[in-house]
C-alpha cells in the first residue's frame, strides 16, 4: 500500500473495470454467434435467426409447397417473427446475465463503503 490509499483504490477499480470489459467483450462475441429458431403453426416452415435478428436459414418442408402463395408467405413470416422474437429473448437474457453480476458487485461495494 502506498501513502495514497485513494490512488490505490482507484487503480484497483480501473483494473477491475478493464477485466470486466474484456469479459463482457468475450461474452458478447460468443452471443453474436448464437442462433434461435422459429417454427410456423403448421410446423412446415423453420427459420433460424441470429441474436441481432438477421435471418440465416429458412427450411421448408416439401409439404409446404402445397400451400397457396399467400398461405406459404404467411407461414414464412410467422416463423421469421418467432425466430426473431426468440433471438431477442436470448439476447435479453444473456445481457441480463452479463450485467447482473456487475450490478450485484456494485451493490456490495456500496454496502461495504457505507458500513
Amino acid at each position: 500500500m502506498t501513502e495514497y490509499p485513494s490512488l490505490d483504490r482507484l487503480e484497483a477499480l480501473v483494473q477491475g473495470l478493464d477485466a470486466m470489459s474484456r469479459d463482457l467483450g468475450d461474452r458478447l462475441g460468443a452471443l453474436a454467434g448464437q442462433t434461435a429458431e422459429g417454427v410456423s403453426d403448421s410446423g412446415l416452415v423453420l427459420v433460424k435467426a441470429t441474436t441481432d435478428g438477421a435471418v440465416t436459414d429458412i427450411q421448408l418442408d416439401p409439404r409446404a409447397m402445397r400451400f397457396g402463395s399467400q398461405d406459404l408467405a404467411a407461414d414464412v413470416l410467422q416463423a421469421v417473427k418467432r425466430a426473431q422474437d426468440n433471438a431477442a429473448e436470448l439476447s435479453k437474457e444473456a445481457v441480463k446475465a452479463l450485467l447482473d453480476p456487475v450490478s450485484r458487485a456494485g451493490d456490495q461495494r456500496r454496502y461495504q463503503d457505507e458500513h
Side-chain angles (χ1 to χ4, degrees):
M1 192 156 215
T2 67
E3 67 181 84
Y4 303 104
S6 296
L7 187 57
D8 290 338
R9 286 197 314 257
L10 181 59
E11 186 175 331
L13 176 64
V14 168
Q15 289 173 354
L17 289 173
D18 186 47
M20 284 177 17
S21 176
R22 282 192 307 273
D23 185 45
L24 181 61
D26 292 344
R27 291 181 185 208
L28 288 175
L31 176 63
Q34 293 182 348
T35 59
E37 294 182 351
V39 179
S40 65
D41 284 345
S42 70
L44 301 178
V45 178
L46 171 79
V47 173
K48 294 181 183 180
T50 60
T51 53
D52 67 356
V55 173
T56 60
D57 190 27
I58 298 176
Q59 296 175 11
L60 301 175
D61 185 290
R63 294 173 292 168
M65 302 314 290
R66 296 181 189 149
F67 289 158
S69 61
Q70 289 180 338
D71 291 335
L72 180 57
D75 249 33
V76 169
L77 285 175
Q78 184 179 62
V80 166
K81 180 170 179 5
R82 288 179 179 168
Q84 290 173 331
D85 288 348
N86 291 339
E89 187 62 30
L90 182 65
S91 294
K92 179 181 163 185
E93 290 301 317
V95 170
K96 182 179 175 185
L98 288 173
L99 296 180
D100 191 40
V102 172
S103 62
R104 280 200 316 265
D107 289 344
Q108 289 172 350
R109 279 194 293 275
R110 272 196 304 273
Y111 179 79
Q112 290 170 351
D113 290 344
E114 292 172 359
H115 294 89

